[in-house]
Amino acid sequence: MSVIFRTVERPSDPRVENSPKKYFPQLITLGQSVDLAFIAQKMQDRSSLSIGDIKSTMQNFVEKLKEQLLEGKTVNIAGLGVFMLAAKSKGEEKADDITAKSVESVRICFQANRELKITKVATRAGERLDLVSLDDYLKGKVTIGDGSDKPSGGGSVGDENDNPLG
């Protein structure tokens, strides 16, 4: 599997004013994001279930996942990861000043289990991550997959410093 990156310049520590600039790899997503129907189709190829059964099961999973999170539980799915809620607030000087109103927003966080984590070194060829520079890709020096993937304005960009917990 290949993932394309581009090189970007930004402050080495964005929290420090006038910190020296460095160059970082920034991962690029090719094409549009996939949806539930696409994933269901891919799963149906390896299952005796119908696409409708798979979609229904996945939709029910999402409903029940949210339900459990709203009950204050974490949800640990073996082979996938742990889902949990996290609160955002400005903080207070004294502990006694913290109330439910201190919470500005709540988000769902996800921490991948070891089985799902992606590394640059893998024992199985299908799980190996190859990083390819955008310049080499655009110059035709390398191809991705079957060669049908092309950079698209519909993709998204992330980098190694992005926090997976949001």
Side-chain angles (χ1 to χ4, degrees), residues 91 121 127 138 142 160 164:
V121 180
E127 294 180 2
L138 292 174
V142 293
E160 82 293 345

Side-chain angles (χ1 to χ4, degrees), residues 23-144:
Y23 293 92
F24 295 89
Q26 187 173 49
L27 302 183
I28 297 172
T29 301
L30 295 178
Q32 302 295 319
S33 61
V34 298
D35 59 10
L36 180 61
F38 180 86
I39 295 293
Q41 174 64 49
K42 292 291 188 181
M43 290 174 67
Q44 198 261 343
D45 293 346
R46 302 184 74 191
S47 170
S48 61
L49 298 173
S50 72
I51 292 174
D53 290 339
I54 294 168
K55 286 172 66 175
S56 176
T57 300
M58 291 176 72
Q59 288 167 340
N60 287 335
F61 168 76
V62 169
E63 272 182 39
K64 295 304 172 184
L65 170 73
K66 185 175 180 181
E67 180 181 285
Q68 293 304 302
L69 291 171
L70 290 172
E71 289 182 11
K73 299 176 183 172
T74 60
V75 179
N76 187 350
I77 309 299
L80 182 63
V82 180
F83 294 86
M84 65 202 91
L85 294 180
K88 180 180 178 184
S89 72
K90 290 180 184 170
E92 301 292 344
E93 295 295 322
K94 297 186 281 183
D96 290 344
D97 292 341
I98 296 291
T99 67
K101 290 184 178 186
S102 301
V103 176
E104 295 174 349
S105 64
V106 177
R107 68 183 188 278
I108 298 173
C109 299
F110 174 74
Q111 179 65 50
N113 282 358
R114 199 173 345 155
E115 298 88 356
L116 183 63
K117 289 188 179 174
I118 296 172
T119 63
K120 288 174 50 178
V121 180
T123 54
R124 290 192 262 177
E127 294 180 2
R128 188 170 298 120
L129 173 66
D130 296 318
L131 294 170
V132 175
S133 78
L134 178 60
D135 290 339
D136 287 348
Y137 176 67
L138 292 174
K139 291 176 185 170
K141 292 182 180 179
V142 293
T143 58
I144 306 298

Side-chain angles (χ1 to χ4, degrees), residues 6-18:
R6 67 180 178 169
T7 303
V8 297
E9 182 183 27
R10 63 175 176 251
S12 57
D13 187 349
R15 299 167 295 183
V16 176
E17 190 175 334
N18 297 324

